[in-house]
Amino acid sequence: MAQIEYPTPLLQLIAQLKRLPGIGARSAERIGVWLLQRGPEFMDPFAATVQKAGSEVAECSVCGFFRTKDLCLICEGAGREDSLLCVVEQPADILPLERSGGYKGHYHTLRGRISPLDNVGPEDLRIGELSKRVRGGIFSEVILALSADVEGEATANYLTEILRDAGGPSLRVTRLARGIPVGGGLESADELTLCRALEGRSLMQ
Amino acid sequence: MAQIEYPTPLLQLIAQLKRLPGIGARSAERIGVWLLQRGPEFMDPFAATVQKAGSEVAECSVCGFFRTKDLCLICEGAGREDSLLCVVEQPADILPLERSGGYKGHYHTLRGRISPLDNVGPEDLRIGELSKRVRGGIFSEVILALSADVEGEATANYLTEILRDAGGPSLRVTRLARGIPVGGGLESADELTLCRALEGRSLMQ
């Protein structure tokens, strides 16, 4: 008697779903079966949406954010502070900064960070493009908004050298503050965060 | 200055992903961005797999499992014990039973269970089909392999009435044992499970 398995198209679907980030074998099976139970009325539009996003959305050649036209909403946007550039790791990091309302300048997406363990070196990132933009002389400040971990710090240190070289002595290179998250209590902050929060303490107004 | 957002096709993709089970707003955004960064080379085959599974896989009209041809692998399978029928809630419940190696009979998928809070009544399940199969007189035993919770129990009780009526006094209606999971310690078992494990205790061989 043959081993009973799901039909091949369903197995192929589960295998594809398993490749998505954060989706394990069990979730992939659950989502695959759930989709099948909804049938073609749900799955055809879903497939069309995936295909359409893949064909219509591209990377902005200037800032690295997503775009559908030749320039992206950020690079072509009027009314932005043209002297400020914020460097982020991923395009998904841009929207939280936009939603914060605290920044109105331009962006540059590295598409990753230096991580020798994952075989990601400076040459794999959009650092050449960053250097070129800064050499243009438009920006007075570059804000490094990278992850607050070892690899983010290493990338920030590397970029600082490159940016000082490209932008000259008048360019300010800054990074985001480290400290207690707003709404977070002291008991949930780790020692290193507390250390940084003490170093960066400010006078009460 | 307009609020910056992802391009519309990406927002539509994220909205579709958010509808999948177990995928929240953050996971949907993460997966959507991840897909976009892989580009059409990954997304087109992914979309094709979804569409193909939707168009090629259907529900077996006899047992309710997935099939690609007119009959499913289980219903057309030679060498199965034709006198045994196992009732499960979902098609995804069949494969764990098959993999256990402890069952070689036929299956019947209810496609749900009686749950008044979710507006699922007996008429929403494949109970009429079950009754008809049992009236055929082929089966000597029906095993109810439903969830071990309140709704599973209620569904099992309801089905027992229906099955006794359809199958007559010669039909055995059984259900899976309740007890300590293999590999599980007593300290992790709840009181009700321990109670059921005591009730179902067996003589040492």
Side-chain angles (χ1 to χ4, degrees):
Chain A
M1 194 168 70
Q3 175 77 36
I4 299 297
E5 256 304 345
Y6 289 130
T8 309
L10 176 53
L11 289 178
Q12 289 168 339
L13 175 58
I14 292 171
Q16 284 276 23
L17 290 168
K18 213 158 33 185
R19 297 176 64 184
L20 301 179
I23 305 290
R26 276 179 169 270
S27 299
E29 183 174 335
R30 187 163 156 234
I31 295 172
V33 168
W34 185 91
L35 281 169
L36 253 299
Q37 289 182 296
R38 254 127 216 95
E41 306 76 47
F42 184 92
M43 295 171 80
D44 285 351
F46 180 81
T49 308
V50 173
Q51 198 272 330
K52 183 169 170 244
S55 66
E56 292 187 2
V57 180
E59 179 183 313
C60 170
S61 59
V62 179
C63 73
F65 192 58
F66 300 113
R67 62 162 176 82
T68 45
K69 291 177 240 151
D70 282 342
L71 261 181
C72 76
L73 283 171
I74 298 173
C75 290
E76 75 186 352
R80 300 200 76 97
E81 288 185 44
D82 290 329
S83 64
L84 289 182
L85 183 67
C86 180
V87 178
V88 294
E89 293 175 9
Q90 300 296 347
D93 299 333
I94 292 179
L95 288 195
L97 287 164
E98 280 293 306
R99 289 174 191 144
S100 79
Y103 182 74
K104 301 288 180 197
H106 289 267
Y107 292 96
H108 190 88
T109 309
L110 294 177
R111 297 259 166 182
R113 55 188 174 167
I114 297 170
S115 171
L117 288 177
D118 302 317
N119 281 318
V120 180
E123 64 285 357
D124 301 310
L125 305 175
R126 298 180 68 250
I127 294 178
E129 291 90 333
L130 174 63
S131 183
K132 204 172 144 197
R133 285 180 85 182
V134 169
R135 266 180 224 283
I138 300 164
F139 303 111
S140 63
E141 179 174 353
V142 176
I143 304 167
L144 302 175
L146 307 178
S147 305
D149 55 15
V150 175
E151 287 154 354
E153 300 272 344
T155 308
N157 290 335
Y158 180 86
L159 288 182
T160 304
E161 297 291 313
I162 302 276
L163 290 167
R164 290 218 172 105
D165 189 45
S170 65
L171 182 74
R172 273 162 56 92
V173 182
T174 59
R175 68 168 185 187
L176 296 186
R178 307 279 185 258
I180 316 289
V182 177
L186 282 199
E187 75 284 358
S188 62
D190 61 291
E191 292 158 21
L192 206 55
T193 298
L194 281 173
C195 221
R196 297 283 173 277
L198 281 166
E199 285 169 15
R201 66 191 180 275
S202 59
L203 273 172
M204 295 293 287
Q205 300 290 325
Chain B
M1 193 169 72
Q3 175 77 38
I4 298 298
E5 256 302 344
Y6 289 130
T8 309
L10 176 51
L11 289 177
Q12 289 168 339
L13 174 60
I14 292 171
Q16 284 276 20
L17 290 167
K18 213 157 35 184
R19 297 177 64 182
L20 301 179
I23 305 289
R26 276 178 169 271
S27 299
E29 183 174 336
R30 186 164 157 232
I31 295 172
V33 168
W34 185 91
L35 281 169
L36 254 297
Q37 289 182 293
R38 254 126 215 95
E41 306 76 45
F42 185 93
M43 294 170 81
D44 285 351
F46 180 81
T49 308
V50 173
Q51 198 274 331
K52 184 169 170 245
S55 65
E56 292 187 2
V57 180
E59 180 183 312
C60 170
S61 59
V62 179
C63 74
F65 192 58
F66 300 113
R67 62 163 177 81
T68 45
K69 290 177 239 151
D70 283 341
L71 261 181
C72 75
L73 283 170
I74 298 172
C75 290
E76 74 185 351
R80 300 199 76 96
E81 287 186 43
D82 289 329
S83 63
L84 290 182
L85 184 65
C86 180
V87 178
V88 294
E89 292 175 10
Q90 299 295 348
D93 299 333
I94 292 179
L95 288 195
L97 287 164
E98 280 292 305
R99 288 175 191 144
S100 79
Y103 182 74
K104 300 289 179 197
H106 290 266
Y107 292 95
H108 191 88
T109 309
L110 294 177
R111 296 259 167 181
R113 55 186 173 167
I114 298 170
S115 171
L117 288 178
D118 302 316
N119 282 318
V120 180
E123 66 284 357
D124 300 312
L125 305 176
R126 297 181 68 250
I127 293 178
E129 291 90 333
L130 173 63
S131 183
K132 203 172 146 199
R133 285 179 86 181
V134 168
R135 266 179 224 284
I138 300 165
F139 301 111
S140 63
E141 179 173 352
V142 175
I143 304 167
L144 301 175
L146 307 178
S147 303
D149 55 15
V150 176
E151 288 154 353
E153 299 272 343
T155 308
N157 291 334
Y158 180 86
L159 288 181
T160 304
E161 295 292 313
I162 302 276
L163 289 167
R164 289 218 172 104
D165 189 45
S170 65
L171 182 74
R172 272 163 56 93
V173 181
T174 59
R175 68 168 184 187
L176 296 186
R178 307 278 184 259
I180 316 288
V182 177
L186 282 199
E187 75 285 357
S188 62
D190 61 292
E191 291 158 22
L192 206 56
T193 298
L194 281 173
C195 220
R196 296 282 173 276
L198 281 166
E199 285 168 17
R201 65 191 181 275
S202 61
L203 273 172
M204 295 293 287
Q205 300 289 323

